[in-house]
Amino acid sequence: MKVKIRNINILGIKFINLNINQLANNILNNIKRKKIHISTVNAAKYIQCKNDKIMQKVVKASEIITIDGMSFVYAGKILKKNSKIFRISGYDLMEKLFKLSKKDDTFFFLGSKEEIVKSAVKNVKKKYKNVCIKGYNNGFFWGNEKKLIKKINILKPRILLISITSPLQEIFVNDFKSILKTNVIILLGGSFEVLSGRLKRAPVFIQKIGMEWLFRLMQEPRRLFWRYITTNSYFIYLVFKEFIKLRKA
């Protein structure tokens, strides 16, 4: 069944506003029509985009942008967005595509360390018997991009999953999207770390109350502490700045 695309604008970002089943089916049903890339944006990435022109360019050029994190859901409520706001993380979208995919909806995994991406592929094959994985490559290919592009283009996966730290994943899409022989590119950040089992996903109730960032921080305090302190506080400031602006209008 064809689903009408609905969007919602929060802090200048035009997010798709469908539930996860609607979005996943929309992607799979339209997979042959045109090449698209999908970005997921949370508070941290939003702030990163303000300081990185390539990230900003790639996110804004995304055919689909999803809300990844409760920060934007709460922001939408504070800014009086009237419609129901759907949060769809990159990880959840990826798993939903695995569940709904058919044999010709082929995947390629790109990113993380070699042992991480291998474990991610192994776990997906074990859990989802229907998923067809064409191949994989670790995220340490810089300087050998042409070799990687050739590998992907020979395999021609319909869906390319990229799990590389920002802004490197955005740089890759900016430079090579036009020559990649794949229909859908999804930017997933650190999702392979969870898919491999190295990191744990926060329980659903923690995700729903918007504290998934704290769960991640407890697992990787050295890497994430300063990032979360700075980006979360600045994001809150921007939301209330916009709120005051709307009140005065």
Side-chain angles (χ1 to χ4, degrees):
M1 184 175 72
K2 190 174 181 180
V3 177
K4 183 180 179 181
I5 298 299
R6 297 189 300 273
N7 295 301
I8 186 167
N9 191 307
I10 304 174
L11 294 176
I13 302 290
K14 189 169 77 172
F15 293 101
I16 197 159
N17 199 35
L18 301 176
N19 67 43
I20 192 165
N21 285 305
Q22 291 171 329
L23 178 56
N25 279 304
N26 184 277
I27 292 168
L28 294 174
N29 291 338
N30 294 283
I31 203 167
K32 298 178 184 178
R33 295 186 185 178
K34 64 176 182 176
K35 184 185 295 184
I36 67 170
H37 80 267
I38 300 168
S39 293
T40 63
V41 175
N42 56 19
K45 183 172 285 189
Y46 181 75
I47 301 305
Q48 275 186 286
C49 285
K50 286 189 165 294
N51 299 312
D52 191 300
K53 290 183 178 180
I54 291 179
M55 274 189 71
Q56 188 177 106
K57 175 185 174 183
V58 170
V59 169
K60 285 194 171 183
S62 305
E63 286 75 14
I64 294 171
I65 307 174
T66 74
I67 292 175
D68 183 1
M70 290 300 291
S71 52
F72 270 98
V73 175
Y74 293 142
K77 291 178 179 178
I78 291 168
L79 299 175
K80 304 298 183 183
K81 304 296 179 179
N82 294 323
S83 58
K84 179 177 174 60
I85 302 172
F86 292 99
R87 178 212 174 189
I88 302 176
S89 71
Y91 186 88
D92 289 335
L93 178 60
M94 173 178 65
E95 287 227 295
K96 182 61 69 172
L97 290 172
F98 292 153
K99 290 176 183 177
L100 298 178
S101 66
K102 298 174 183 176
K103 285 189 176 180
D104 57 347
D105 298 321
T106 54
F107 293 83
F108 188 98
F109 287 54
L110 174 62
S112 297
K113 296 178 181 178
E114 183 72 13
E115 62 269 24
I116 295 293
V117 67
K118 282 179 72 174
S119 293
V121 168
K122 182 180 177 181
N123 289 343
V124 171
K125 285 182 176 180
K126 185 178 179 180
K127 186 175 180 180
Y128 303 101
K129 305 298 182 183
N130 59 305
V131 171
C132 179
I133 299 173
K134 285 273 191 171
Y136 66 87
N137 201 93
N138 65 54
F140 298 88
F141 53 81
W142 307 103
N144 296 296
E145 292 92 337
K146 289 183 178 179
K147 185 177 179 181
L148 171 65
I149 299 297
K150 183 178 180 181
K151 178 180 179 179
I152 294 171
N153 287 349
I154 288 172
L155 295 170
K156 295 180 182 179
R158 287 197 175 166
I159 302 173
L160 173 61
L161 303 174
I162 302 180
S163 180
I164 301 174
T165 305
S166 293
L168 292 178
Q169 61 180 7
E170 285 79 17
I171 291 171
F172 180 79
V173 169
N174 184 66
D175 292 347
F176 302 111
K177 178 182 176 180
S178 63
I179 60 173
L180 281 165
K181 292 182 179 179
T182 184
N183 299 88
V184 178
I185 301 168
I186 307 179
L187 304 182
L188 295 164
S191 291
F192 289 177
E193 299 276 347
V194 179
L195 202 57
S196 70
R198 193 187 82 80
L199 295 178
K200 292 181 180 180
R201 186 89 192 275
V204 174
F205 80 93
I206 290 180
Q207 296 176 42
K208 287 183 176 179
I209 63 173
M211 298 300 289
E212 189 171 10
W213 66 272
L214 183 58
F215 189 88
R216 291 176 181 172
L217 178 61
M218 291 171 67
Q219 293 185 82
E220 297 184 285
R222 288 186 179 181
R223 187 175 75 86
L224 297 177
F225 178 77
W226 185 246
R227 189 181 90 177
Y228 281 157
I229 289 295
T230 54
T231 58
N232 286 2
S233 56
Y234 188 40
F235 182 80
I236 292 169
Y237 162 75
L238 292 175
V239 171
F240 280 96
K241 183 180 178 182
E242 183 68 15
F243 176 74
I244 293 169
K245 180 181 173 182
L246 292 173
R247 286 284 298 272
K248 290 180 178 179

